[in-house]
Amino acid sequence: MIPIIDTHLHLIYPDRFAYPWLSGAPAINRPWSIEDYLAEARPLGIEAALHMEVDVDEGDIEAESRFVLELDGIAGAIAGCRPEEPDFERQLEGLAAVPGVRGLRRVLHQAPDTLSQTPHFAANVRRLAAHDLTFDLCVRHNQLPIGQTLVDSCPDVTFVLDHCGAQDITVGGFSPWREHITEIARRPNLNAKISGIIAYAGKEWTLEAIRPYVEHVIDSFGWDRIVWGSDHPVVTLGGSLTDWVGATRKIIKDASPDEQAKLLNANAKRIYRL
């Protein structure tokens, strides 16, 4: 069994940090600990995980990353950030100094389209290159063109497109997402994360229904620019971690062992400097 590095694990500790958005997500509004995750993940072949910021209150951003980096099984952290703020440079310097922080993310799929389109936002994202930090791009399918604009504005920054760019896509709604993915994948500084699909496909998804989404992203980006993520616990909106790992392994079973290893662990080690 080819081992997996999970590049998109959310942990929720309400006793430590504030998560303003969770009140609107009752299905996952509870603690999600590393112990519970590892109990399911390790038998599936997941050997390590990158913690993905959980859009905590801005005052908790650095503390969240410092806390999770001390936990068993966490190989690195993607920290939250606010590139739209006037003092972003100070925030960036603080986060870059935390050992184990490998990249940053600003959630954009619930933000106004204009947030990421200002010269100030792009200039601040460009600052990540000097610290060798990635930027995870979290946009809805209908925001892929604005995501593309941001990627073009920051050619020296390594980006990772979260969740196949597929938020809010209902299984069967293949266009214009397909065309947007084909175009955005032309950016050599952008990678893609095979994650999130079953969370947005509903409880009735089937392997054959989600397969075209995964395969189109792989075909568009190629085996050298894709990584795998669980999106746990958001994945539980459409199934379980076990379901998603099983579906992934079935979808890629005809690929070569080298290609499978690139998706499941090798690319993550290189892109996130693990």
Side-chain angles (χ1 to χ4, degrees):
M1 182 166 58
I2 296 174
I4 297 173
I5 294 177
D6 181 357
T7 67
H8 208 99
L9 167 64
H10 300 295
L11 297 173
I12 298 175
Y13 288 87
D15 59 327
R16 289 179 173 271
F17 309 114
Y19 307 86
W21 62 276
L22 266 180
S23 61
I28 57 172
N29 188 7
R30 66 172 180 83
W32 296 85
S33 71
I34 188 64
E35 292 80 11
D36 290 343
Y37 167 77
L38 291 177
E40 184 177 6
R42 283 185 165 154
L44 299 172
I46 296 176
E47 63 179 16
L50 271 168
H51 183 264
M52 175 58 67
E53 61 93 18
V54 198
D55 203 18
V56 295
D57 184 83
E58 187 171 357
D60 288 336
I61 286 176
E62 186 173 326
E64 177 191 41
S65 290
R66 290 187 180 277
F67 171 72
V68 298
L69 284 165
E70 297 296 323
L71 300 176
D72 183 30
I74 300 299
I78 309 301
C81 68
R82 300 290 185 271
E84 70 272 22
E85 297 292 340
D87 63 344
F88 174 75
E89 188 172 5
R90 177 195 58 79
Q91 183 182 55
L92 173 60
E93 293 294 331
L95 292 169
V98 178
V101 168
R102 298 301 183 213
L104 303 182
R105 182 175 80 153
R106 173 64 165 112
V107 172
L108 298 175
H109 74 277
Q110 294 178 328
D113 289 358
T114 53
L115 182 74
S116 66
Q117 300 301 289
T118 67
H120 174 77
F121 192 99
N124 277 336
V125 172
R126 285 195 291 272
R127 296 179 187 275
L128 273 64
H131 298 279
D132 205 13
L133 294 173
T134 61
F135 188 85
D136 266 61
L137 186 64
C138 188
V139 293
R140 298 189 309 273
H141 64 98
N142 60 346
Q143 292 177 313
L144 284 167
I146 68 168
Q148 181 175 306
T149 299
L150 180 62
V151 173
D152 285 342
S153 298
C154 307
D156 295 327
V157 176
T158 297
F159 287 83
V160 182
L161 177 65
D162 289 350
H163 309 325
C164 301
Q167 281 93 341
D168 299 333
I169 284 187
T170 302
V171 167
F174 209 43
S175 282
W177 170 85
R178 172 174 47 196
E179 294 77 21
H180 288 328
I181 287 293
T182 299
E183 180 57 33
I184 200 171
R186 301 183 196 280
R187 278 69 197 161
N189 59 322
L190 178 66
N191 306 278
K193 189 172 295 185
I194 305 298
S195 63
I197 292 294
I198 71 171
Y200 303 104
K203 294 284 189 181
E204 306 304 315
W205 66 271
T206 65
L207 186 68
E208 292 313 307
I210 66 170
R211 180 189 295 274
Y213 294 95
V214 175
E215 291 184 341
H216 182 61
V217 172
I218 295 173
D219 289 345
S220 297
F221 283 85
W223 289 99
D224 290 324
R225 290 196 290 142
I226 51 173
V227 296
W228 186 89
S230 71
D231 198 22
H232 185 79
V234 183
V235 68
T236 62
L237 297 176
S240 67
L241 175 61
T242 300
D243 293 333
W244 176 226
V245 171
T248 302
R249 291 194 187 274
K250 288 176 184 176
I251 290 170
I252 65 172
K253 68 180 178 62
D254 292 331
S256 71
D258 181 61
E259 289 170 335
Q260 293 184 46
K262 285 180 177 182
L263 167 63
L264 297 178
N265 62 72
N267 291 341
K269 292 176 183 177
R270 171 175 50 83
I271 292 168
Y272 287 113
R273 301 176 294 111
L274 302 180

